[in-house]
Amino acid sequence: MTQPAINRHRSVVVRRSGNRAARMYGRAVVLCGLIAPAVQAATFSSVEFDPGRNELVATMTYDGSNPNHQFSVQWGTCRKLGNEGNHQIVAELLDNQWDDTAQQTFTTTVHVSLAGVNCHPAFVTLRTAPKYESSVQIP
């Protein structure tokens, strides 16, 4: 009876090492999945308010196969901050080639007009991709 007990123990050990390898492989796949979007995401090099043109000027850095990415803006809701007349608004900068294969790094300047934004003075937050944002105060 001793022999079958030893064999069962060994088979449990083999299964655990197999499961451990599978878990490690699964973790590696998940980690790569988390890193890949960050590598391809557009980020801000700088964001400034140009009062003469009433626009935000954002310098974007992104990875792709070509330099022809176009960025559009999607405005959020203007919210009042406190009683001092200041507001807050979020704008999403959307890349029309967000899924472009990352082969090279490019930089472009995006001009975001504030002409139709009736939310002044405001703390404007520009976002692109999750976790990438930049904020600027406009009068």
Side-chain angles (χ1 to χ4, degrees):
M1 284 236 176
T2 307
Q3 189 64 23
I6 291 172
N7 286 340
R8 276 189 299 215
H9 178 69
R10 285 185 182 163
S11 67
V12 168
V13 170
V14 170
R15 283 189 202 134
R16 281 187 181 167
S17 66
N19 286 340
R20 181 175 177 218
R23 282 192 305 267
M24 289 176 63
Y25 176 77
R27 289 178 187 153
V29 168
V30 169
L31 183 60
C32 287
L34 293 173
I35 292 172
V39 171
Q40 294 182 353
T43 61
F44 298 102
S45 297
S46 68
V47 176
E48 298 175 359
F49 172 64
D50 181 348
R53 294 183 154 202
N54 192 32
E55 67 183 14
L56 298 177
V57 180
T59 304
M60 308 296 296
T61 302
Y62 60 93
D63 292 333
S65 63
N66 67 83
N68 301 323
H69 289 219
Q70 300 296 316
F71 293 87
S72 59
V73 63
Q74 182 177 5
W75 288 100
T77 304
C78 181
R79 301 182 192 280
K80 189 173 181 180
L81 291 177
N83 295 327
E84 298 172 12
N86 203 19
H87 300 81
Q88 178 179 15
I89 190 165
V90 175
E92 298 278 342
L93 282 181
L94 307 173
D95 182 353
N96 72 331
Q97 295 184 50
W98 60 269
D99 59 348
D100 188 17
T101 304
Q103 295 177 0
Q104 191 175 346
T105 300
F106 298 98
T107 301
T108 190
T109 301
V110 178
H111 297 266
V112 180
S113 175
L114 299 171
V117 179
N118 297 321
C119 187
H120 295 276
F123 187 70
V124 180
T125 300
L126 290 178
R127 289 188 183 146
T128 181
K131 300 182 184 178
Y132 295 105
E133 62 182 44
S134 183
S135 298
V136 62
Q137 178 70 40
I138 61 169

